[in-house]
Amino acid sequence: MQNTIREVEDTMHQHMSFVAKSCVSWLALAGCLLPAVASADAVSEQLMENLQVNGQSMPVEQVNATPMDGVYHVVLESGESFYSNADGSHFLVGDLYQNADNGLVNLTEQARNQERATVLAAISASERVVFQGVGEPKATVIVFTDPTCPYCERLHETVPELNERGIAVHYMAFPRAGMGSGAATTLEQVWCSDNRSEAMTQAKQGQTLAASANCDNPVADQYELGKAVGVQGTPAIVLPDGKMVPGFVPPDRLVSMLGLEDE
């Protein structure tokens, strides 16, 4: 039991947000008083409109009730989140876990996944580099990639097998060294190519691309989007439910993650 508690505490420490770092020390804030309200919807609305820290309004994107009475999940416009009581006088920074019959369930991570899936679903397939194979895919994964990343190259080598097993791979751009790097230029060339999938394969093989990098392309926007949804390195594989899996994943394991092993 002690090890489980320590694991939860360690996970919570890793997710300390901007709110904790800039507004208070550790877990509690005070001085953001709001009128007391009765219903969860009314509380959410009041927190959305009136939540303040040090007299400054907070850029609240949404507020949702949690399974814990009197505790609300506050999401900022930056994507950072924390928990608040009904009147906004105390904040809790970290992840909320449900102590379920089958073990601990990270409710905060589930919310992150859902938001990530929603945001990425809004990106048209025409703005991605698509490897689908023949026929309708059984599942689609989105992969944030960098052509200079060795593990991205290794993952790309497995794409034909993934396609054969019914998994479509949709690439989005994430130059690890930022815009202005060589990787960013190469990714812009990929998106500017007449055949993006062929250009992506060539880039992963270290070939020089002929296309210009000066067309109207989404590489910069996708790089910023990647940071916003939590990408910290490449490859970053996003499953259909929004769960992010960092690094190279062998085909058998990815098939298992997607629940396709029995199909």
Side-chain angles (χ1 to χ4, degrees):
M1 183 65 178
Q2 186 175 4
N3 289 337
T4 301
I5 294 174
R6 184 178 298 113
E7 178 182 348
V8 173
E9 290 176 341
D10 289 343
T11 304
M12 289 174 66
H13 278 276
Q14 292 169 8
H15 288 90
M16 286 295 287
S17 73
F18 166 84
V19 176
K21 294 177 181 177
S22 62
C23 297
V24 295
S25 60
W26 201 198
L27 295 178
L29 302 170
C32 314
L33 299 179
L34 300 172
V37 288
S39 73
D41 288 344
V43 170
S44 295
E45 184 176 347
Q46 289 284 355
L47 288 171
M48 278 280 296
E49 296 177 356
N50 301 315
L51 193 60
Q52 296 183 353
V53 171
N54 295 330
Q56 300 294 318
S57 295
M58 300 195 72
V60 178
E61 178 72 23
Q62 61 180 323
V63 178
N64 299 306
T66 73
M68 294 180 66
D69 291 341
V71 177
Y72 296 82
H73 187 206
V74 179
V75 181
L76 303 181
E77 292 176 358
S78 65
E80 296 160 315
S81 68
F82 57 95
Y83 295 91
S84 174
N85 63 341
D87 67 2
S89 62
H90 292 79
F91 295 165
L92 184 67
V93 179
D95 285 6
L96 178 65
Y97 287 79
Q98 177 186 4
N99 189 12
D101 292 339
N102 59 343
L104 294 174
V105 178
N106 189 330
L107 300 181
T108 306
E109 185 62 28
Q110 286 184 349
R112 290 192 194 103
N113 292 346
Q114 183 176 357
E115 177 65 18
R116 186 182 294 120
T118 300
V119 168
L120 294 181
I123 306 301
S124 169
S126 65
E127 296 185 17
R128 310 172 185 178
V129 178
V130 175
F131 289 82
Q132 182 165 312
V134 179
E136 190 68 20
K138 299 175 183 177
T140 298
V141 296
I142 294 175
V143 181
F144 284 88
T145 193
D146 179 324
T148 65
C149 157
Y151 285 102
C152 293
E153 178 183 346
R154 186 177 175 190
L155 177 63
H156 191 68
E157 291 172 351
T158 71
V159 166
E161 179 181 349
L162 294 175
N163 288 167
E164 288 178 4
R165 299 175 74 167
I167 302 172
V169 176
H170 288 203
Y171 281 121
M172 296 182 69
F174 193 84
R176 294 171 297 163
M179 298 306 299
S181 65
T185 300
T186 299
L187 286 167
E188 289 177 322
Q189 289 179 283
V190 169
W191 259 263
C192 291
S193 298
D194 293 334
N195 188 328
R196 293 178 184 172
S197 57
E198 182 179 281
M200 180 66 79
T201 297
Q202 292 172 344
K204 294 292 179 69
Q205 294 173 346
Q207 298 182 34
T208 300
L209 302 183
S212 167
N214 296 322
C215 72
D216 183 18
N217 66 79
V219 171
D221 289 341
Q222 291 185 7
Y223 175 61
E224 293 301 324
L225 177 62
K227 291 191 291 183
V229 299
V231 177
Q232 297 182 344
T234 55
I237 304 170
V238 183
L239 306 184
D241 65 357
K243 179 179 180 181
M244 183 178 293
V245 182
F248 169 75
V249 177
D252 285 343
R253 184 180 169 207
L254 187 55
V255 167
S256 178
M257 287 179 173
L258 293 168
L260 302 177
E261 64 267 41
D262 296 327
E263 296 187 15

